[in-house]
């Protein structure tokens, strides 16, 4: 091992040790994680997010392609130098894990959005769930007239800009959502996300909100706001879904309001179907045919990508969530309904 190899190995080892220390501290101290997520992380968003936001394409997507090609070339060039390969691997892993931790990992252990917003979840009756579904159904049927006729590919720039505007508007209601947001970005090869059955992804290495531009239109506004919510330090998927819902329904853009209400209806409706299927079927019959068609097209789109890749992706996502203390794994997405119920109850009490 020559001097260069030792420097690379040492630097990578130091980054790995720092990563471990930060992860342990965040997991042991929610106060530290909360302080970090809302004092240090915003600075990183303001710096790294602004830099990556200077270009319209997804920096992390291009970086991943470059990393793959560069990795093959690096191995080919240093195939006869095992210490160089080892040192390079340690440095790469240390850099990536440290970047992930400071730009994302610590935030998983911070105080949740519900605590900042004063939204207290609890026990709810089936009747309350039905009332929420009735409200969402009514809103879907009101917004479908204008929202369903708008298409993302006809106004890509406008929809991305509205995602930021919707989040800022939500920030006027909840201060923890206020401040700077970079523009969300459609990945160039959206099929990569489709085969993994992913609507979007937050890129911690470049602090970007990326989304799948190929999926049905009604999914896109909510996904944009969902991914942008992670840039405020809120990493829990159930809360990101809820924040996306709040941002969309507060938007003045018809497609965003429609997306928010229809997404909310899907989650709440699925919960009602399990609790009282007869009540769910009765309400489902009242859903506007255009919204029904959107849901059918959405199911058909994702069905095309069912397969081993999607299964592995889902298993990995489930494991990833559990590693970050979202113990229900992918089931944590369903807790969005509790947040909607709590929000609906609190708003009803204020009237």
């Amino acid at each position: 091992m020559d001097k260069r190899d030792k420097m690379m190995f040492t630097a990578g080892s130091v980054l790995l040790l720092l990563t471990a220390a930060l992860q342990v501290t965040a997991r042991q101290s929610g106060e530290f994680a909360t302080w970090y997520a809302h004092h240090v992380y915003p600075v990183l968003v303001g710096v790294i997010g602004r830099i990556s936001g200077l270009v319209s394409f997804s920096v992390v997507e291009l970086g991943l392609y470059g990393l793959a090609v560069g990795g093959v070339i690096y191995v080919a060039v240093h195939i006869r130098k095992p210490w160089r390969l080892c040192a390079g691997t340690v440095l790469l892993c240390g850099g990536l894990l440290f970047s992930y931790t400071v730009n994302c990992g610590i935030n998983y252990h911070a105080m949740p959005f519900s605590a900042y917003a004063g939204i207290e979840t609890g026990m709810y009756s089936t009747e309350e769930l039905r009332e929420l579904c009735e409200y969402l159904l009514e809103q879907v049927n009101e917004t479908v007239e204008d929202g369903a006729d708008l298409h993302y590919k006809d106004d890509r720039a406008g929809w991305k800009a509205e995602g930021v505007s919707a989040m800022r508007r939500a920030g006027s209601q909840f201060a923890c959502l206020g401040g700077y947001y970079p523009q969300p970005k459609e990945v160039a090869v959206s099929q990569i996300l489709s085969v993994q059955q992913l609507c979007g992804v937050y890129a911690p290495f470049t602090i970007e909100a990326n989304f799948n531009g190929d999926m049905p239109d009604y999914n896109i506004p909510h996904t944009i706001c969902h991914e942008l919510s992670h840039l405020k330090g809120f990493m829990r998927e159930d809360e990101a879904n809820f924040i996306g819902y709040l941002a969309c329904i507060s938007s003045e853009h018809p497609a965003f309001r429609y997306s928010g209400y229809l997404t909310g209806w899907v989650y709440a409706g699925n919960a009602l179907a399990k609790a009282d299927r007869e009540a769910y079927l009765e309400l489902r019959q009242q859903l506007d045919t255009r919204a029904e068609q959107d849901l059918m097209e959405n199911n058909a789109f994702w069905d095309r990508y069912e397969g081993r890749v999607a299964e592995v992706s889902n298993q990995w996502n489930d494991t990833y969530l559990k590693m970050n203390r979202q113990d229900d794994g992918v089931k944590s997405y369903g807790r969005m309904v509790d947040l909607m119920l709590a929000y609906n109850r609190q708003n009803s009490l204020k009237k």
Side-chain angles (χ1 to χ4, degrees), residues 261-311:
Y261 285 122
L262 186 55
T263 300
W265 156 256
V266 169
Y267 279 100
N270 287 340
L272 182 61
K274 294 178 182 178
D276 187 343
R277 186 158 186 81
E278 184 176 340
Y280 167 73
L281 292 175
E282 179 184 338
L283 290 177
R284 182 68 183 254
Q285 293 176 353
Q286 301 173 38
L287 186 66
D288 189 283
T289 55
R290 288 165 293 185
E292 187 71 53
Q293 182 64 30
D294 278 341
L295 294 179
M296 292 175 61
E297 291 178 358
N298 184 63
N299 289 336
F301 174 82
W302 294 113
D303 285 347
R304 295 204 303 268
Y305 295 100
E306 294 250 351
R308 183 58 182 165
V309 174
E311 182 181 341

Side-chain angles (χ1 to χ4, degrees), residues 196-233:
Q196 298 176 74
Q197 296 206 326
L198 293 175
C199 296
V201 61
Y202 163 66
F205 309 110
T206 52
I207 306 187
E208 293 176 297
N210 294 322
F211 65 94
N212 183 339
D214 288 345
M215 61 185 174
D217 290 320
Y218 102 80
N219 257 328
I220 292 178
H222 179 264
T223 297
I224 287 175
C225 294
H226 170 116
E227 300 305 335
L228 285 173
S229 72
H230 291 319
L231 276 78
K232 289 301 166 185

Side-chain angles (χ1 to χ4, degrees), residues 176-192:
C176 56
L177 297 178
Y180 168 74
Y181 287 95
Q183 289 289 315
K185 298 178 180 181
E186 175 187 356
V187 297
V189 186
S190 287
Q191 191 172 12
I192 291 178

Side-chain angles (χ1 to χ4, degrees), residues 23 27 100 105 108-109 319-326:
Q23 284 281 359
R27 290 169 184 267
Y100 163 80
Y108 273 103
H109 311 288
T319 302
Y320 169 77
L321 293 174
K322 289 178 178 177
M323 286 173 60
N324 286 288
R325 294 186 175 177
Q326 296 188 70

